[in-house]
Amino acid sequence: MSATLIAPSVLAADFANLQRDVEMINNSKADWFHIDIMDGVFVPNISFGMPVLRDIAKHATKTIDVHLMIVDPDRYIQTFADLGSDILTVHYEACTHLHRTLQAIKAAGMKAGVAVNPHTPISLLEDVITDIDMVCIMSVNPGFGGQSFIENTFDKVKALKALITRKNATTLIEIDGGVTDKNAAQLSEAGADVLVAGSYVFKSEDPTTTVANLRDMVN
Ligand code: DX5
Ligand code: ZN
């Protein structure tokens, strides 16, 4: 079984010292960059957009995992590919024609992810799971960093793991929201492949060490 990856969420970085925080991720044991794009419509918050991602991508030396919390994400698939996204995750709740969206993301040369809100059951992915490279289980309601982890996530990881096995899929399981040293090991054991961590990493005294500790905890 391969190691669980750690993806620090840049949403919790210091935007006045963005290059410093990007270099921190580059030089740490982190595996991916997690980039949260919010439009103030799908979620009640606006984060940052294309120019900021373009500048992050200039410095980032690791996989760029972009999480779109926006309505009608189809409009921007090519734009995010051009900006250097490796994985593009759209929300199940924001896609009327999810299958078509997934094919468009892959045609643009990216891995295709689907995020599910806390209220969305895993069973809704049944007919599309083999087309999805990664499912992002939201373990908080999307829109803000620093919220508490929703415990029902453990049951969703199990349900998703079972669906992936039953359908012979190779889909990765990502957990996003409220990840800390209190739940990381248990999530990894339950089957999580990628853990996103924002506040827990960036609000700590020494983010590089925090990333290393998280990484050790899940391997
Ligand atoms: C929430 C975002 C998360 C967020 C996680 O809407 O999708 O990626 O940055 O932040 P923490 O780890 O602070 O919950
Ligand atoms: Zn996210």
Side-chain angles (χ1 to χ4, degrees), residues 42-122:
F42 181 71
V43 287
N45 193 14
I46 298 174
S47 55
F48 51 80
M50 288 80 170
V52 175
L53 174 55
R54 189 195 56 223
D55 289 348
I56 292 171
K58 253 188 242 163
H59 300 285
T61 58
K62 297 179 176 177
T63 296
I64 299 182
D65 167 34
V66 176
H67 176 193
L68 295 184
M69 284 159 273
I70 67 174
V71 296
D72 201 2
D74 301 69
R75 291 172 297 166
Y76 298 112
I77 290 172
Q78 192 55 51
T79 304
F80 280 99
D82 295 342
L83 286 166
S85 314
D86 298 297
I87 304 163
L88 193 65
T89 295
V90 294
H91 263 265
Y92 177 87
E93 302 82 8
C95 296
T96 310
H97 302 285
L98 181 60
H99 184 271
R100 180 187 291 154
T101 304
L102 294 171
Q103 308 314 319
I105 294 172
K106 291 192 229 180
M110 299 174 287
K111 298 273 186 208
V114 176
V116 286
N117 276 340
H119 73 274
T120 300
I122 293 299

Side-chain angles (χ1 to χ4, degrees), residues 7-12 34-38 43 67 69 91 136 138-149 175-180 196-201 203:
S9 172
V10 174
L11 184 66
H34 184 83
I35 307 289
D36 290 307
I37 307 285
M38 305 177 183
V43 287
H67 176 193
M69 284 159 273
H91 263 265
C136 174
M138 291 309 302
S139 37
V140 298
N141 284 295
F144 303 93
Q147 304 180 80
S148 351
F149 182 84
I175 309 299
D176 188 10
V179 170
T180 68
V196 174
S199 322
Y200 181 68
V201 168
K203 308 297 176 214

